[in-house]
Coordinates of all heavy atoms in Angstrom, one line a residue:
K1 N 41.9 -45.3 -96.3 CA 41.3 -44.3 -95.6 C 40.5 -43.3 -96.4 O 39.5 -42.8 -96.0 CB 42.3 -43.5 -94.7 CG 42.8 -44.3 -93.6 CD 43.6 -43.4 -92.7 CE 44.0 -44.2 -91.4 NZ 44.4 -43.4 -90.3
L2 N 41.0 -43.1 -97.6 CA 40.3 -42.2 -98.5 C 38.9 -42.7 -98.8 O 37.9 -41.9 -98.9 CB 41.1 -41.9 -99.8 CG 42.3 -41.1 -99.6 CD1 43.1 -41.0 -100.9 CD2 42.0 -39.7 -99.1
E3 N 38.8 -44.0 -99.1 CA 37.5 -44.6 -99.4 C 36.5 -44.4 -98.2 O 35.3 -44.2 -98.4 CB 37.6 -46.1 -99.7 CG 38.3 -46.4 -101.0 CD 39.8 -46.5 -100.8 OE1 40.4 -46.2 -99.7 OE2 40.5 -46.9 -101.8
E4 N 37.0 -44.4 -97.0 CA 36.1 -44.2 -95.8 C 35.5 -42.9 -95.8 O 34.4 -42.7 -95.2 CB 36.9 -44.4 -94.5 CG 37.4 -45.9 -94.4 CD 38.4 -46.0 -93.2 OE1 38.6 -45.0 -92.4 OE2 39.0 -47.1 -93.1
I5 N 36.1 -41.9 -96.4 CA 35.5 -40.5 -96.4 C 34.8 -40.2 -97.7 O 34.5 -39.1 -98.0 CB 36.6 -39.4 -96.1 CG1 37.7 -39.4 -97.1 CG2 37.1 -39.6 -94.7 CD1 38.6 -38.2 -97.0
G6 N 34.6 -41.2 -98.6 CA 33.9 -41.1 -99.8 C 34.7 -40.6 -101.0 O 34.2 -40.2 -102.0
F7 N 36.0 -40.7 -100.9 CA 36.9 -40.3 -102.0 C 36.6 -41.2 -103.3 O 36.4 -42.4 -103.2 CB 38.4 -40.5 -101.7 CG 39.3 -40.0 -102.7 CD1 39.6 -38.7 -102.8 CD2 39.9 -40.9 -103.6 CE1 40.5 -38.2 -103.8 CE2 40.8 -40.4 -104.6 CZ 41.1 -39.1 -104.7
V8 N 36.5 -40.5 -104.4 CA 36.2 -41.2 -105.7 C 37.4 -41.3 -106.5 O 38.0 -40.3 -106.9 CB 35.1 -40.5 -106.5 CG1 34.8 -41.2 -107.8 CG2 33.8 -40.4 -105.7
W9 N 37.9 -42.5 -106.7 CA 39.2 -42.7 -107.5 C 39.0 -42.4 -109.0 O 39.8 -41.8 -109.6 CB 39.7 -44.1 -107.3 CG 40.2 -44.3 -105.9 CD1 39.6 -44.9 -104.9 CD2 41.5 -43.8 -105.4 NE1 40.3 -44.9 -103.7 CE2 41.5 -44.2 -104.0 CE3 42.5 -43.1 -105.9 CZ2 42.6 -43.9 -103.2 CZ3 43.6 -42.8 -105.1 CH2 43.6 -43.2 -103.7
D10 N 37.9 -42.8 -109.5 CA 37.6 -42.6 -110.9 C 36.3 -41.9 -111.1 O 35.3 -42.6 -110.9 CB 37.7 -43.9 -111.7 CG 37.6 -43.6 -113.2 OD1 37.2 -42.6 -113.6 OD2 38.0 -44.5 -114.0
A11 N 36.3 -40.6 -111.3 CA 35.0 -39.9 -111.3 C 34.1 -40.2 -112.4 O 33.0 -39.8 -112.5 CB 35.3 -38.4 -111.4
M12 N 34.5 -41.1 -113.4 CA 33.7 -41.4 -114.5 C 32.8 -42.7 -114.1 O 32.0 -43.0 -114.9 CB 34.5 -41.7 -115.7 CG 35.3 -40.5 -116.2 SD 34.3 -39.1 -116.5 CE 33.4 -39.5 -117.9
F13 N 33.0 -43.3 -113.0 CA 32.3 -44.5 -112.6 C 31.3 -44.2 -111.5 O 31.5 -43.3 -110.7 CB 33.2 -45.6 -112.2 CG 34.0 -46.2 -113.3 CD1 35.4 -46.2 -113.3 CD2 33.4 -46.7 -114.4 CE1 36.1 -46.7 -114.3 CE2 34.1 -47.3 -115.5 CZ 35.5 -47.2 -115.4
M14 N 30.2 -44.9 -111.5 CA 29.2 -44.9 -110.4 C 28.8 -43.5 -110.0 O 28.5 -42.7 -110.9 CB 29.7 -45.8 -109.3 CG 30.0 -47.2 -109.7 SD 30.4 -48.3 -108.4 CE 31.3 -47.5 -107.2
N15 N 28.8 -43.2 -108.7 CA 28.4 -41.9 -108.2 C 29.3 -40.8 -108.6 O 28.9 -39.7 -108.6 CB 28.2 -42.0 -106.7 CG 27.1 -42.9 -106.3 OD1 26.1 -43.0 -107.0 ND2 27.2 -43.4 -105.1
G16 N 30.6 -41.2 -108.9 CA 31.5 -40.1 -109.3 C 31.1 -39.4 -110.5 O 31.2 -38.1 -110.6
R17 N 30.5 -40.0 -111.5 CA 30.1 -39.3 -112.7 C 28.9 -38.4 -112.3 O 28.9 -37.3 -112.8 CB 29.6 -40.3 -113.8 CG 29.2 -39.6 -115.0 CD 29.0 -40.6 -116.2 NE 28.5 -40.0 -117.4 CZ 29.3 -39.3 -118.3 NH1 30.6 -39.2 -118.1 NH2 28.7 -38.8 -119.3
K18 N 28.0 -38.8 -111.5 CA 26.9 -37.9 -111.1 C 27.5 -36.7 -110.4 O 27.1 -35.6 -110.6 CB 26.0 -38.7 -110.2 CG 24.8 -37.9 -109.8 CD 23.8 -38.7 -108.9 CE 22.6 -37.8 -108.6 NZ 21.8 -38.5 -107.6
R19 N 28.4 -36.9 -109.4 CA 29.0 -35.8 -108.7 C 29.7 -34.8 -109.7 O 29.7 -33.6 -109.5 CB 29.9 -36.3 -107.6 CG 29.2 -36.7 -106.4 CD 30.2 -36.9 -105.3 NE 31.0 -38.1 -105.5 CZ 30.7 -39.3 -104.8 NH1 29.8 -39.3 -103.9 NH2 31.4 -40.3 -105.0
N20 N 30.4 -35.4 -110.7 CA 31.1 -34.6 -111.6 C 30.1 -33.8 -112.4 O 30.4 -32.6 -112.7 CB 31.9 -35.5 -112.6 CG 32.9 -34.8 -113.5 OD1 33.2 -33.6 -113.3 ND2 33.3 -35.5 -114.5
E21 N 29.0 -34.4 -112.8 CA 28.0 -33.6 -113.6 C 27.4 -32.5 -112.7 O 27.1 -31.4 -113.2 CB 26.9 -34.6 -114.1 CG 27.3 -35.3 -115.3 CD 27.6 -34.4 -116.5 OE1 26.9 -33.4 -116.8 OE2 28.7 -34.6 -117.1
E22 N 27.1 -32.9 -111.5 CA 26.5 -31.9 -110.5 C 27.5 -30.7 -110.3 O 27.1 -29.5 -110.4 CB 26.2 -32.5 -109.2 CG 25.0 -33.4 -109.3 CD 24.8 -34.2 -108.0 OE1 25.6 -34.1 -107.0 OE2 23.8 -35.0 -108.0
A23 N 28.8 -31.0 -110.2 CA 29.8 -29.9 -110.0 C 29.9 -29.1 -111.3 O 29.9 -27.9 -111.2 CB 31.1 -30.5 -109.6
W24 N 29.8 -29.7 -112.4 CA 29.9 -29.0 -113.7 C 28.7 -28.1 -113.8 O 28.8 -26.9 -114.2 CB 30.0 -29.9 -114.9 CG 30.4 -29.2 -116.1 CD1 31.6 -29.0 -116.6 CD2 29.5 -28.6 -117.1 NE1 31.6 -28.3 -117.8 CE2 30.3 -28.0 -118.1 CE3 28.1 -28.5 -117.2 CZ2 29.7 -27.3 -119.2 CZ3 27.6 -27.8 -118.2 CH2 28.4 -27.2 -119.2
M25 N 27.5 -28.6 -113.5 CA 26.3 -27.8 -113.6 C 26.3 -26.6 -112.6 O 25.8 -25.5 -112.9 CB 25.0 -28.7 -113.4 CG 24.7 -29.5 -114.6 SD 24.5 -28.6 -116.2 CE 23.1 -27.6 -115.8
E26 N 26.8 -26.8 -111.5 CA 26.9 -25.8 -110.5 C 27.8 -24.6 -111.0 O 27.5 -23.5 -110.9 CB 27.5 -26.3 -109.2 CG 27.5 -25.3 -108.1 CD 26.2 -24.7 -107.7 OE1 25.1 -25.4 -107.7 OE2 26.1 -23.5 -107.4
M27 N 28.9 -25.0 -111.6 CA 29.8 -24.0 -112.2 C 29.1 -23.3 -113.4 O 29.3 -22.1 -113.6 CB 31.1 -24.6 -112.6 CG 32.0 -25.0 -111.4 SD 32.2 -23.8 -110.1 CE 33.1 -22.5 -111.0
F28 N 28.4 -24.1 -114.2 CA 27.7 -23.5 -115.3 C 26.6 -22.5 -114.8 O 26.5 -21.4 -115.4 CB 27.0 -24.6 -116.1 CG 26.3 -24.1 -117.3 CD1 27.0 -23.7 -118.5 CD2 24.9 -24.0 -117.4 CE1 26.3 -23.2 -119.6 CE2 24.2 -23.5 -118.5 CZ 25.0 -23.1 -119.6
K29 N 26.0 -22.8 -113.7 CA 25.0 -21.8 -113.1 C 25.7 -20.5 -112.7 O 25.2 -19.4 -112.8 CB 24.3 -22.5 -111.9 CG 23.3 -23.5 -112.4 CD 22.6 -24.2 -111.2 CE 21.8 -25.3 -111.6 NZ 21.2 -26.1 -110.4
E30 N 26.9 -20.7 -112.1 CA 27.7 -19.5 -111.7 C 28.1 -18.7 -112.9 O 28.1 -17.5 -112.8 CB 28.9 -20.0 -110.9 CG 28.5 -20.5 -109.5 CD 29.7 -20.9 -108.6 OE1 30.7 -20.2 -108.7 OE2 29.6 -21.8 -107.9
L31 N 28.4 -19.4 -114.0 CA 28.7 -18.6 -115.3 C 27.4 -17.8 -115.7 O 27.6 -16.7 -116.1 CB 29.1 -19.6 -116.4 CG 29.4 -19.0 -117.7 CD1 30.5 -18.0 -117.7 CD2 29.7 -20.1 -118.7
I32 N 26.3 -18.4 -115.6 CA 25.0 -17.7 -116.0 C 24.9 -16.5 -115.1 O 24.5 -15.4 -115.6 CB 23.8 -18.7 -115.8 CG1 23.9 -19.9 -116.7 CG2 22.5 -17.9 -116.1 CD1 24.0 -19.6 -118.2
E33 N 25.1 -16.6 -113.8 CA 25.0 -15.5 -112.9 C 26.0 -14.4 -113.3 O 25.7 -13.2 -113.2 CB 25.2 -15.9 -111.4 CG 24.1 -16.7 -110.9 CD 22.7 -16.0 -111.0 OE1 22.7 -14.8 -110.6 OE2 21.8 -16.7 -111.5
Y34 N 27.2 -14.8 -113.6 CA 28.3 -13.9 -114.1 C 27.8 -13.1 -115.3 O 27.9 -11.9 -115.4 CB 29.6 -14.6 -114.4 CG 30.7 -13.7 -114.9 CD1 31.6 -13.2 -114.0 CD2 30.8 -13.4 -116.2 CE1 32.6 -12.3 -114.5 CE2 31.8 -12.5 -116.7 CZ 32.7 -12.0 -115.8 OH 33.7 -11.2 -116.3
K35 N 27.2 -13.8 -116.2 CA 26.7 -13.2 -117.5 C 25.6 -12.2 -117.1 O 25.5 -11.1 -117.7 CB 26.2 -14.2 -118.4 CG 25.8 -13.6 -119.8 CD 25.4 -14.7 -120.8 CE 25.0 -14.0 -122.1 NZ 24.6 -14.9 -123.1
K36 N 24.7 -12.5 -116.2 CA 23.6 -11.6 -115.8 C 24.2 -10.3 -115.3 O 23.7 -9.2 -115.5 CB 22.7 -12.2 -114.8 CG 21.8 -13.3 -115.3 CD 20.9 -13.9 -114.2 CE 20.1 -15.0 -114.7 NZ 19.4 -15.7 -113.6
K37 N 25.3 -10.4 -114.5 CA 25.9 -9.3 -113.8 C 26.8 -8.5 -114.8 O 26.8 -7.2 -114.7 CB 26.8 -9.8 -112.7 CG 27.4 -8.7 -111.9 CD 28.1 -9.2 -110.7 CE 28.7 -8.1 -109.8 NZ 29.5 -8.6 -108.7
H38 N 27.5 -9.1 -115.7 CA 28.5 -8.5 -116.5 C 28.1 -8.4 -118.0 O 28.8 -7.8 -118.8 CB 29.9 -9.2 -116.4 CG 30.4 -9.2 -115.0 ND1 31.1 -8.1 -114.5 CD2 30.4 -10.1 -114.1 CE1 31.4 -8.4 -113.2 NE2 31.0 -9.6 -113.0
A39 N 27.0 -9.0 -118.4 CA 26.5 -9.0 -119.8 C 27.4 -9.7 -120.8 O 27.3 -9.5 -122.0 CB 26.2 -7.6 -120.2
D40 N 28.3 -10.5 -120.3 CA 29.2 -11.3 -121.2 C 29.7 -12.5 -120.4 O 29.4 -12.7 -119.2 CB 30.4 -10.5 -121.7 CG 31.3 -10.0 -120.6 OD1 31.6 -10.8 -119.7 OD2 31.8 -8.9 -120.6
C41 N 30.4 -13.4 -121.1 CA 31.0 -14.6 -120.5 C 32.5 -14.6 -120.5 O 33.1 -15.6 -120.5 CB 30.4 -15.9 -121.2 SG 28.7 -16.2 -120.9
I42 N 33.0 -13.4 -120.5 CA 34.5 -13.2 -120.6 C 35.0 -13.2 -119.2 O 35.4 -12.1 -118.7 CB 34.8 -12.0 -121.4 CG1 34.2 -12.0 -122.8 CG2 36.4 -11.9 -121.6 CD1 34.3 -10.8 -123.6
V43 N 35.0 -14.3 -118.5 CA 35.5 -14.4 -117.2 C 37.0 -14.5 -117.2 O 37.6 -15.4 -117.8 CB 34.9 -15.7 -116.5 CG1 35.4 -15.7 -115.0 CG2 33.4 -15.8 -116.6
P44 N 37.7 -13.5 -116.5 CA 39.1 -13.6 -116.5 C 39.6 -14.8 -115.7 O 38.9 -15.2 -114.7 CB 39.6 -12.3 -115.8 CG 38.3 -11.6 -115.4 CD 37.2 -12.4 -115.9
F45 N 40.7 -15.3 -116.0 CA 41.3 -16.5 -115.3 C 41.5 -16.1 -113.8 O 41.2 -16.9 -112.9 CB 42.6 -16.9 -115.9 CG 43.2 -18.1 -115.2 CD1 42.7 -19.4 -115.5 CD2 44.3 -18.0 -114.4 CE1 43.2 -20.5 -114.9 CE2 44.8 -19.1 -113.7 CZ 44.3 -20.4 -114.0
D46 N 41.9 -14.9 -113.5 CA 42.1 -14.5 -112.1 C 41.0 -13.6 -111.6 O 41.2 -12.7 -110.8 CB 43.5 -13.7 -112.1 CG 43.5 -12.5 -112.9 OD1 42.5 -12.3 -113.7 OD2 44.4 -11.7 -112.8
Y47 N 39.8 -14.0 -112.0 CA 38.6 -13.2 -111.5 C 38.5 -13.2 -110.0 O 38.3 -14.3 -109.4 CB 37.3 -13.9 -112.2 CG 36.0 -13.2 -111.8 CD1 35.8 -11.9 -111.8 CD2 35.0 -14.0 -111.3 CE1 34.6 -11.3 -111.5 CE2 33.8 -13.5 -111.0 CZ 33.6 -12.1 -111.0 OH 32.4 -11.5 -110.7
K48 N 38.6 -12.1 -109.4 CA 38.6 -11.9 -107.9 C 37.3 -12.2 -107.3 O 37.2 -12.7 -106.2 CB 39.1 -10.5 -107.5 CG 40.4 -10.1 -108.1 CD 41.6 -10.7 -107.3 CE 42.9 -10.2 -107.7 NZ 43.7 -11.0 -108.5
G49 N 36.2 -12.0 -108.0 CA 34.9 -12.2 -107.5 C 34.5 -13.7 -107.3 O 33.7 -14.0 -106.5
N50 N 35.2 -14.6 -108.0 CA 35.0 -16.0 -107.9 C 36.2 -16.7 -108.6 O 36.1 -17.1 -109.8 CB 33.7 -16.4 -108.6 CG 33.3 -17.8 -108.4 OD1 34.2 -18.7 -108.0 ND2 32.0 -18.2 -108.6
P51 N 37.3 -16.8 -107.9 CA 38.5 -17.5 -108.5 C 38.2 -18.8 -109.1 O 38.8 -19.2 -110.1 CB 39.5 -17.5 -107.4 CG 39.0 -16.5 -106.4 CD 37.5 -16.4 -106.5
K52 N 37.3 -19.6 -108.4 CA 37.0 -21.0 -108.9 C 36.4 -20.9 -110.3 O 36.7 -21.7 -111.2 CB 36.1 -21.6 -107.9 CG 35.9 -23.1 -108.1 CD 35.1 -23.7 -107.0 CE 34.8 -25.1 -107.2 NZ 33.9 -25.7 -106.2
L53 N 35.5 -19.9 -110.5 CA 34.9 -19.7 -111.8 C 35.9 -19.4 -112.9 O 35.8 -19.9 -114.0 CB 33.8 -18.7 -111.7 CG 33.0 -18.4 -113.0 CD1 32.3 -19.7 -113.5 CD2 32.0 -17.2 -112.8
G54 N 36.8 -18.5 -112.5 CA 37.9 -18.1 -113.5 C 38.7 -19.3 -113.9 O 39.0 -19.5 -115.1
T55 N 39.0 -20.2 -113.0 CA 39.8 -21.4 -113.3 C 39.0 -22.3 -114.1 O 39.4 -22.9 -115.2 CB 40.2 -22.1 -112.0 OG1 41.1 -21.2 -111.3 CG2 41.0 -23.4 -112.3
W56 N 37.7 -22.5 -113.7 CA 36.8 -23.5 -114.4 C 36.6 -23.0 -115.9 O 36.7 -23.9 -116.8 CB 35.5 -23.5 -113.7 CG 34.5 -24.4 -114.3 CD1 34.4 -25.8 -114.2 CD2 33.4 -24.1 -115.2 NE1 33.3 -26.3 -114.9 CE2 32.7 -25.3 -115.5 CE3 32.9 -22.9 -115.7 CZ2 31.6 -25.3 -116.4 CZ3 31.8 -22.9 -116.6 CH2 31.2 -24.1 -116.9
I57 N 36.3 -21.7 -116.1 CA 36.1 -21.3 -117.5 C 37.3 -21.4 -118.3 O 37.3 -21.7 -119.5 CB 35.5 -19.9 -117.5 CG1 34.8 -19.6 -118.9 CG2 36.5 -18.8 -117.3 CD1 33.6 -20.4 -119.1
G58 N 38.5 -21.3 -117.7 CA 39.8 -21.5 -118.4 C 39.9 -22.9 -118.9 O 40.3 -23.1 -120.1
I59 N 39.5 -23.8 -118.1 CA 39.5 -25.2 -118.5 C 38.5 -25.5 -119.6 O 38.8 -26.2 -120.5 CB 39.3 -26.1 -117.2 CG1 40.5 -26.0 -116.3 CG2 39.0 -27.6 -117.7 CD1 40.2 -26.6 -114.9
Q60 N 37.3 -24.9 -119.5 CA 36.3 -25.1 -120.5 C 36.8 -24.6 -121.8 O 36.6 -25.2 -122.9 CB 35.0 -24.5 -120.1 CG 34.4 -25.0 -118.8 CD 34.4 -26.5 -118.6 OE1 33.8 -27.2 -119.4 NE2 35.0 -27.0 -117.6
R61 N 37.4 -23.4 -121.8 CA 37.9 -22.9 -123.1 C 38.9 -23.8 -123.7 O 38.9 -24.0 -124.9 CB 38.5 -21.5 -122.8 CG 37.5 -20.4 -122.5 CD 38.1 -19.1 -122.1 NE 37.1 -18.1 -121.9 CZ 37.3 -17.1 -121.0 NH1 38.4 -17.0 -120.3 NH2 36.4 -16.2 -120.8
K62 N 39.8 -24.3 -122.9 CA 40.9 -25.2 -123.4 C 40.3 -26.4 -124.0 O 40.7 -26.8 -125.1 CB 41.9 -25.5 -122.3 CG 43.0 -26.4 -122.7 CD 43.9 -26.7 -121.6 CE 43.4 -28.0 -120.9 NZ 44.3 -28.5 -119.9
E63 N 39.4 -27.1 -123.3 CA 38.8 -28.3 -123.8 C 37.9 -28.1 -125.0 O 37.9 -28.9 -125.9 CB 38.0 -29.0 -122.7 CG 38.8 -29.5 -121.5 CD 39.9 -30.5 -121.9 OE1 39.6 -31.4 -122.8 OE2 41.0 -30.5 -121.4
Y64 N 37.3 -27.0 -125.0 CA 36.4 -26.6 -126.2 C 37.3 -26.5 -127.4 O 37.0 -27.0 -128.5 CB 35.7 -25.3 -125.9 CG 34.8 -24.9 -127.0 CD1 33.5 -25.4 -127.2 CD2 35.2 -23.9 -128.0 CE1 32.7 -25.0 -128.2 CE2 34.4 -23.5 -129.0 CZ 33.1 -24.0 -129.1 OH 32.3 -23.6 -130.1
Q65 N 38.4 -25.7 -127.3 CA 39.3 -25.6 -128.4 C 39.9 -26.9 -128.9 O 40.1 -27.1 -130.1 CB 40.5 -24.6 -128.1 CG 40.0 -23.1 -128.0 CD 39.3 -22.7 -129.3 OE1 39.8 -22.9 -130.4 NE2 38.2 -22.0 -129.1
R66 N 40.3 -27.7 -127.9 CA 40.8 -29.0 -128.3 C 39.8 -29.8 -129.1 O 40.1 -30.5 -130.1 CB 41.2 -29.8 -127.0 CG 42.4 -29.2 -126.3 CD 42.6 -29.9 -125.0 NE 43.3 -31.2 -125.2 CZ 44.5 -31.4 -125.1 NH1 45.3 -30.5 -124.6 NH2 45.1 -32.6 -125.3
K67 N 38.5 -29.8 -128.6 CA 37.5 -30.5 -129.3 C 37.3 -29.9 -130.7 O 37.1 -30.7 -131.7 CB 36.2 -30.4 -128.5 CG 35.1 -31.3 -129.1 CD 33.9 -31.3 -128.2 CE 32.9 -32.3 -128.7 NZ 32.5 -33.3 -127.7
K68 N 37.2 -28.6 -130.9 CA 37.0 -28.0 -132.2 C 38.1 -28.3 -133.1 O 37.9 -28.3 -134.3 CB 36.9 -26.5 -132.0 CG 35.6 -26.0 -131.3 CD 34.4 -26.4 -132.1 CE 33.5 -25.3 -132.4 NZ 32.3 -25.7 -133.1
N69 N 39.3 -28.5 -132.6 CA 40.5 -28.8 -133.4 C 40.7 -30.3 -133.7 O 41.7 -30.8 -134.2 CB 41.8 -28.2 -132.8 CG 41.7 -26.7 -132.9 OD1 41.2 -26.1 -133.9 ND2 42.3 -26.1 -131.9
G70 N 39.7 -31.1 -133.2 CA 39.8 -32.6 -133.4 C 40.8 -33.3 -132.5 O 41.2 -34.4 -132.8
R71 N 41.3 -32.6 -131.5 CA 42.3 -33.2 -130.6 C 41.6 -33.9 -129.4 O 40.4 -33.6 -129.1 CB 43.2 -32.1 -130.0 CG 44.0 -31.5 -131.2 CD 44.8 -30.3 -130.8 NE 45.7 -30.6 -129.7 CZ 46.2 -29.7 -128.8 NH1 45.8 -28.5 -128.9 NH2 47.0 -30.1 -127.9
P72 N 42.2 -34.8 -128.7 CA 41.6 -35.5 -127.6 C 41.2 -34.5 -126.5 O 41.9 -33.5 -126.3 CB 42.8 -36.4 -127.0 CG 43.7 -36.6 -128.2 CD 43.6 -35.3 -129.0
N73 N 40.0 -34.7 -126.0 CA 39.5 -33.7 -125.0 C 38.6 -34.4 -124.0 O 38.3 -35.5 -124.2 CB 38.8 -32.6 -125.8 CG 37.5 -33.1 -126.5 OD1 36.5 -33.3 -125.9 ND2 37.7 -33.4 -127.8
L74 N 38.2 -33.6 -123.0 CA 37.3 -34.1 -122.0 C 36.0 -33.4 -122.0 O 35.3 -33.4 -121.0 CB 38.0 -33.9 -120.6 CG 39.3 -34.5 -120.4 CD1 40.0 -34.1 -119.1 CD2 39.2 -36.0 -120.4
M75 N 35.6 -32.9 -123.2 CA 34.3 -32.2 -123.2 C 33.3 -33.0 -124.0 O 33.3 -33.1 -125.2 CB 34.4 -30.8 -123.9 CG 33.1 -30.1 -124.0 SD 33.3 -28.4 -124.5 CE 34.0 -27.7 -123.0
P76 N 32.3 -33.6 -123.3 CA 31.2 -34.3 -124.0 C 30.4 -33.3 -124.8 O 30.3 -32.1 -124.6 CB 30.3 -34.8 -122.8 CG 31.2 -34.7 -121.6 CD 32.1 -33.6 -121.8
D77 N 29.7 -33.9 -125.8 CA 28.9 -33.0 -126.7 C 27.8 -32.2 -125.9 O 27.6 -31.1 -126.3 CB 28.2 -33.9 -127.7 CG 29.1 -34.5 -128.8 OD1 30.3 -34.0 -128.9 OD2 28.7 -35.5 -129.4
E78 N 27.2 -32.8 -124.9 CA 26.2 -32.1 -124.1 C 26.7 -30.9 -123.5 O 26.0 -29.8 -123.5 CB 25.6 -33.0 -123.0 CG 25.1 -34.4 -123.5 CD 26.1 -35.4 -123.7 OE1 27.1 -35.5 -123.0 OE2 25.9 -36.2 -124.7
R79 N 27.9 -30.9 -123.0 CA 28.5 -29.7 -122.4 C 28.8 -28.7 -123.4 O 28.6 -27.5 -123.2 CB 29.8 -30.1 -121.6 CG 29.5 -30.9 -120.3 CD 30.7 -31.2 -119.6 NE 30.4 -32.0 -118.4 CZ 31.3 -32.4 -117.5 NH1 32.6 -32.1 -117.8 NH2 31.0 -33.1 -116.5
Q80 N 29.3 -29.1 -124.6 CA 29.6 -28.2 -125.6 C 28.4 -27.5 -126.1 O 28.4 -26.2 -126.2 CB 30.2 -28.9 -126.9 CG 30.5 -28.0 -128.0 CD 30.9 -28.8 -129.3 OE1 31.2 -30.0 -129.2 NE2 31.0 -28.1 -130.4
H81 N 27.3 -28.2 -126.2 CA 26.0 -27.6 -126.6 C 25.5 -26.6 -125.6 O 25.0 -25.5 -125.9 CB 24.9 -28.6 -126.9 CG 25.3 -29.5 -128.1 ND1 25.7 -29.1 -129.3 CD2 25.4 -30.9 -128.1 CE1 26.0 -30.1 -130.1 NE2 25.8 -31.2 -129.4
K82 N 25.6 -26.9 -124.3 CA 25.2 -26.0 -123.2 C 26.0 -24.7 -123.3 O 25.5 -23.6 -123.1 CB 25.4 -26.6 -121.8 CG 24.2 -27.6 -121.5 CD 24.0 -27.7 -120.0 CE 23.0 -26.8 -119.4 NZ 21.7 -26.7 -119.9
L83 N 27.3 -24.8 -123.5 CA 28.2 -23.6 -123.5 C 27.9 -22.8 -124.8 O 28.1 -21.6 -124.7 CB 29.6 -24.0 -123.5 CG 30.1 -24.6 -122.1 CD1 31.5 -25.2 -122.2 CD2 30.1 -23.5 -121.0
E84 N 27.4 -23.4 -125.8 CA 27.2 -22.7 -127.1 C 25.8 -22.0 -127.1 O 25.5 -21.2 -128.0 CB 27.3 -23.6 -128.3 CG 28.7 -24.0 -128.5 CD 28.9 -25.0 -129.6 OE1 27.9 -25.7 -130.0 OE2 30.0 -25.1 -130.2
E85 N 24.9 -22.4 -126.2 CA 23.5 -21.9 -126.2 C 23.5 -20.4 -126.0 O 24.3 -19.8 -125.3 CB 22.7 -22.5 -125.0 CG 22.4 -23.9 -125.2 CD 21.7 -24.5 -124.0 OE1 21.7 -23.9 -122.9 OE2 21.1 -25.6 -124.2

C-alpha cells in the first residue's frame, strides 16, 4: 500500500534522491531566510518560528562534525560546501 501512495523505501535511489535533494535545498533556503532575519545561522534546536528548521540544522551540525572528524556521515561534499559558503 505504501508504494501506491508514492512511498520511497530507499531515498538514495531513483526519484527518491531527487526528492531528498529538493527537500534539503528547501531547508537550506529557509536557513538563508533565517540568516537574513537574524543576521546569523545560530538556529536553536527548539526554534519556535520554524521547529522543522531547528531540527534540520541540528542534524546538519551533527553530520558536519562527524565528517570533519573523519567519522561515517551522511553529508556529501556538495552540501558541506554550501553550508560553508
